[in-house]
Amino acid sequence: GYLIIKLKRHCEHLAELTPEEALALGSLIQRTSLALSKVIQPDKIHVCSWGEEVKHIHFHVIPRTKDMPVGNLKLLIHLRMKKLLNQLGLNQWVSDEEAAAFAAKVRQELG
């Protein structure tokens, strides 16, 4: 899976951020990437923002592990298929308990 970082206040465009918000957001993305690196040791961490369907600044932080395909489009298709299968109850990524344990480890790394 992956996680999403979003602003507390509504804001649709990066250009609308205050200098303080931009600095805090950049720092949070970097610290989150570092925490994910320590917890799951992925091959790569992708950070991206589209903001088309949800009109709010938010960043997807996607750790790519060895069992995931290399390449942006292949990775996105893989994630969408996993999400769809999970919604249909056909393939759960991890149990709720495993997800909670993972989140706790990432929170601990973030301090």
Side-chain angles (χ1 to χ4, degrees):
Y2 62 91
L3 53 88
I4 296 176
I5 296 173
K6 63 181 182 176
L7 298 179
K8 289 183 179 180
R9 78 170 177 94
H10 179 74
C11 186
E12 293 185 24
H13 305 285
L14 287 172
E16 297 172 357
L17 293 177
T18 67
E20 295 80 15
E21 288 171 328
L23 187 62
L25 183 58
S27 176
L28 181 58
I29 291 169
Q30 186 274 335
R31 291 184 312 113
T32 301
S33 296
L34 181 60
L36 287 170
S37 292
K38 289 180 177 180
V39 171
I40 63 172
Q41 301 175 340
D43 287 353
K44 174 93 173 154
I45 294 179
H46 296 266
V47 177
C48 50
S49 178
W50 292 283
E52 294 290 336
E53 291 180 31
V54 177
K55 304 239 183 271
H56 182 80
I57 293 174
H58 61 283
F59 288 87
H60 299 257
V61 183
I62 307 167
R64 184 183 57 74
T65 57
K66 290 179 183 0
D67 61 331
M68 298 167 79
V70 175
N72 298 342
L73 185 56
K74 290 177 187 175
L75 179 60
L76 290 175
I77 291 169
H78 172 81
L79 290 171
R80 292 297 270 181
M81 292 302 296
K82 290 282 243 176
K83 182 177 180 181
L84 177 61
L85 291 172
N86 189 46
Q87 289 171 339
L88 295 172
L90 299 174
N91 182 18
Q92 190 171 355
W93 278 342
V94 296
S95 69
D96 291 344
E97 294 79 18
E98 290 171 313
F102 168 76
K105 288 178 184 177
V106 171
R107 267 192 229 94
Q108 182 178 6
E109 285 295 328
L110 285 170

